[in-house]
């Protein structure tokens, strides 16, 4: 689909942990006639859906392939370690990788952090999902390192988390196929970038607003060419400058 073609709807995918509610609300306020379809998908599946055309744009985790995607980085999340509430690290405000040296650090298959070397001790098997890893933490099997939003998403009363310093971080971006930058995508870009409603009214309305201004200027030129004053202008006589008002006292009649 080219940028000039306007879809009757907008399909947005987002990965777990990302909260698009604010942007969706603004979309519905500004474009009530354009339905927004919102679908949560696993982080590893988002880019494939965009490339296949099953979604127009996505709130995804970085990195993305910049050879095929356009992307606008939105924010970078803090990394935390999820532990039982009675774990020793709950006594401090921040945790270092060295503090986890004696712990089994779970590494789920859907991990979104780019590790060079995972801290702590490795488990015998990798959990299939982050949700499975959280269950193991609750069972006292180990600890889990994730972006803050995933810790909040899988919150349990018997678990807590602490910031982990010197660890990889996860960035979130708005991404879409580079060859599919449609008008609807441009509308959503304006929303996530915080543009005001006046700057995101759409191309058709903007063109309609600009047209009268061009017409007014053209009309002024035609009036001047015909010898008539332009709007707001001063009529001049054929002899040069306009007459000046008289000053001083009026003469007495004879």
């Amino acid at each position: 689909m080219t940028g000039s073609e306007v879809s009757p709807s907008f399909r947005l995918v987002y990965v777990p942990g990302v909260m698009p509610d604010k942007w969706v609300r603004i979309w519905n306020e500004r474009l009530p006639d354009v339905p927004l379809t919102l679908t949560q998908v696993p982080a590893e599946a988002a880019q494939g859906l965009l490339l296949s055309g099953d979604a127009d744009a996505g709130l995804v985790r970085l990195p993305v392939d910049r050879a095929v995607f356009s992307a606008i980085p939105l924010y970078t999340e803090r990394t935390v370690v999820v532990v039982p509430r009675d774990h020793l690290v709950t006594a401090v405000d921040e945790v270092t990788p060295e503090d986890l040296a004696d712990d089994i650090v779970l590494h789920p298959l859907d991990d979104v952090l780019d590790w060079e070397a995972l801290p702590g001790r490795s488990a015998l098997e990798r959990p299939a999902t982050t949700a499975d890893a959280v269950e193991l933490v609750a069972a006292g099997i180990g600890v889990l390192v994730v972006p803050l939003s995933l810790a909040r998403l899988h919150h349990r009363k018997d678990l807590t988390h602490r910031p982990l310093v010197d660890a990889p971080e996860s960035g979130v971006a708005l991404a879409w196929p580079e060859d599919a930058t449609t008008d609807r995508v441009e509308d959503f870009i304006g929303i996530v970038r915080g543009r005001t409603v006046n700057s995101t009214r759409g191309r058709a309305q903007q063109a309609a607003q600009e047209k009268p201004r061009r017409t007014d200027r053209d009309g002024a030129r035609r009036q001047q060419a015909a010898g008539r004053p332009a709007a707001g202008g001063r009529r001049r006589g054929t002899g040069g400058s306009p007459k000046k008002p008289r000053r001083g006292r009026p003469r007495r009649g004879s």
Side-chain angles (χ1 to χ4, degrees), residues 7-59:
S7 171
S9 65
F10 184 68
R11 300 163 300 170
L12 180 72
V13 296
Y14 69 103
V15 298
V18 175
M19 303 297 291
D21 298 6
K22 175 184 176 181
W23 298 319
V24 172
R25 175 180 55 79
I26 296 174
W27 176 282
N28 291 333
E29 291 173 354
R30 296 185 183 180
L31 299 164
D33 298 329
V34 183
L36 189 153
T37 302
L38 191 64
T39 306
Q40 180 176 290
V41 299
E44 65 274 12
Q47 297 184 35
L49 290 173
L50 293 173
L51 288 177
S52 66
D54 292 323
D56 299 302
L59 297 169

Side-chain angles (χ1 to χ4, degrees), residues 74-166:
L74 300 176
Y75 56 88
T76 300
E77 290 195 65
R78 195 166 194 181
T79 301
V80 300
V81 56
V82 179
V83 297
R85 285 193 173 273
D86 59 356
H87 195 283
L88 289 176
V89 301
T90 59
V92 298
D93 294 330
E94 288 185 337
V95 181
T96 68
E98 291 74 20
D99 294 329
L100 304 178
D102 296 330
D103 287 285
I104 294 176
V105 178
L106 302 167
H107 191 200
L109 294 175
D110 63 355
D111 184 21
V112 297
L113 298 173
D114 186 16
W115 291 100
E116 290 185 4
L118 200 68
R121 298 184 291 131
S122 300
L124 295 178
E125 295 182 3
R126 295 182 64 181
T129 66
T130 298
D132 292 335
V134 170
E135 294 293 331
L136 293 175
V137 174
I141 304 300
V143 300
L144 175 66
V145 179
V146 290
L148 177 58
S149 67
L150 290 181
R152 290 172 172 169
L153 178 66
H154 298 288
H155 171 71
R156 291 174 52 120
K157 292 182 179 180
D158 53 349
L159 300 180
T160 188
H161 59 266
R162 290 292 185 271
L164 180 64
V165 299
D166 299 327

Side-chain angles (χ1 to χ4, degrees), residues 202-223:
R203 289 142 298 280
Q205 185 171 352
Q206 182 178 359
Q209 290 174 340
E210 291 176 352
K211 187 174 180 180
R213 291 199 293 268
R214 290 195 297 268
T215 302
D216 292 344
R217 289 197 297 267
D218 294 342
R221 293 192 187 99
R222 287 195 297 269
Q223 288 177 351

